[in-house]
Amino acid sequence: MAAARRQFSSRKDMFQALRDTILERLRNKLEAEGKASMVCSGGSTPKMLYPKLSDAKIDWSNVWVTVSDERLVPAHHDASNEKMVRLKLLQDRASDANFVPLISNDRNPRDAEKTVEERLAGMPRPHAITLLGMGDDGHTASLFSDDPDLQRGLDMESGRNVKAVVLKDPPEEAPYPRMTMTVPALLNSDLIIVIITGDEKRFLMEHAISGEDATQMPIRAILHQTRANVEVFWAP
Ligand code: 6PG
C-alpha cells in the first residue's frame, strides 16, 4: 500500500485540511465506538496545528491523547513533548481529553518501558489517528538510524509498544534519553499522517519513498508497509 500524498500551496491550507481530517476521524470513531485515541508527534510543525483543534466540538472526555515519542525530562521541561501538547492542544474544550504520558519515575529504562506499556494498554486501539514528522536524517518518532537498539523498535513481532532510546550522539536541540513508540504500535492506527514542510523535506521524502532500508531511514518502516493507511501532507 503506497503512501498517499497531499500537497498544499500554503501551510494555512495544509493545517485546515489536517484539522478537517483529524476531527472527522475522531468524530467517526467516537460515534462508532464511544471512545477514540490520537497519537501526537513532537517537533516544530504540529505546534501550529494543535491550537486549531482545541476548540472543536467533539466529546473530548472520551478521547485519549498520547505522544509518538518523548524526551525523558520532567513534564514541565521545555523539551517535553507532553508539555507542548498540554499547552497547545489540551486547552479549551480539548482540556477534557485524557492524556497518557510516556515518561515514568523508573530509573532503569527497561522498568520505564514496562510502566509505560501498562499505561498504554488502557488506550482505545487501533488509534483513530497518528501524527508523525520526519527529521532531517529520516527519523520518525524517536526511531533513529544511529540507535544501536533500533531493531527492537522496528521488529513487527516484538509485541512491544514502546522502547527506551539512548543515543551516543543525540540531536543537539534535544540531547535527552527518550521513549518512543515502536513501529508496530505506530502502525496500530486507522490512519497515519506524516506532516512535512519545505523543499528539503520534500526531497528527503522522495528519497525515503524510493528506497527500502528502514535501518538507514526509519520513516521507511511507516511508508513501506501493508498494515496502516498513510498520508504524507506537505506544504512549502
Ligand atoms: C520529536 C519528534 C520528531 C519530529 C521530527 C520532525 O519529538 O523530536 O516526534 O520525530 O517529529 O524530528 O520535526 P519537525 O516537525 O520539527 O520537522
Side-chain angles (χ1 to χ4, degrees):
M1 197 163 22
R5 300 169 76 181
R6 293 183 62 183
Q7 307 216 355
F8 299 85
S9 48
S10 70
R11 290 189 189 192
K12 189 167 170 266
D13 290 354
M14 178 177 79
F15 289 133
Q16 184 58 48
L18 281 166
R19 182 181 195 277
D20 294 346
T21 307
I22 293 165
L23 293 178
E24 192 194 352
R25 292 288 174 152
L26 290 176
R27 273 197 192 102
N28 290 346
K29 196 79 169 182
L30 285 165
E31 223 175 277
E33 289 171 26
K35 44 194 185 171
S37 62
M38 171 176 178
V39 178
C40 293
S41 72
S44 56
T45 322
K47 262 190 210 165
M48 291 174 269
L49 164 71
Y50 297 147
K52 301 182 195 308
L53 301 170
S54 308
D55 69 340
K57 286 188 187 147
I58 61 170
D59 177 12
W60 285 104
S61 66
N62 279 311
V63 175
W64 275 253
V65 175
T66 190
V67 283
S68 60
D69 60 314
E70 184 57 283
R71 293 86 183 262
L72 298 184
V73 294
H76 56 77
H77 193 287
D78 281 346
S80 162
N81 283 338
E82 172 173 345
K83 178 178 180 179
M84 191 269 274
V85 169
R86 285 189 187 278
L87 278 174
K88 303 286 180 185
L89 173 65
L90 303 182
Q91 300 289 331
D92 201 342
R93 294 194 173 94
S95 62
D96 287 344
N98 310 283
F99 186 79
V100 183
L102 293 198
I103 51 169
S104 83
N105 290 326
D106 301 287
R107 301 192 63 174
N108 177 310
R110 294 293 169 116
D111 293 339
E113 288 176 0
K114 209 171 149 257
T115 306
V116 176
E117 284 287 355
E118 282 163 13
R119 259 191 236 139
L120 289 175
M123 284 186 83
R125 281 180 284 190
H127 303 120
I129 182 110
T130 294
L131 304 177
L132 291 174
M134 174 180 67
D136 299 332
D137 56 355
H139 80 259
T140 193
S142 282
L143 297 160
F144 291 92
S145 56
D146 60 351
D147 177 359
D149 186 36
L150 175 64
Q151 203 46 50
R152 262 192 342 122
L154 298 179
D155 182 1
M156 288 303 293
E157 308 308 327
S158 69
R160 291 175 182 278
N161 290 290
V162 284
K163 100 172 189 75
V165 180
V166 184
L167 300 176
K168 227 172 105 217
D169 291 307
E172 250 172 58
E173 70 287 1
Y176 309 102
R178 292 158 179 249
M179 186 68 75
T180 187
M181 281 200 177
T182 60
V183 171
L186 293 169
L187 296 183
N188 194 4
S189 188
D190 296 341
L191 176 65
I192 299 173
I193 303 184
V194 183
I195 308 168
I196 52 168
T197 55
D199 283 335
E200 248 171 66
K201 289 268 173 92
R202 187 155 55 101
F203 296 134
L204 195 66
M205 182 53 74
E206 301 295 340
H207 183 56
I209 288 172
S210 66
E212 293 288 334
D213 188 354
T215 64
Q216 293 298 315
M217 296 182 83
I219 185 72
R220 286 178 174 152
I222 303 298
L223 299 170
H224 304 301
Q225 44 79 31
T226 52
R227 286 200 192 186
N229 288 314
V230 181
E231 296 186 6
V232 179
F233 277 50
W234 177 88

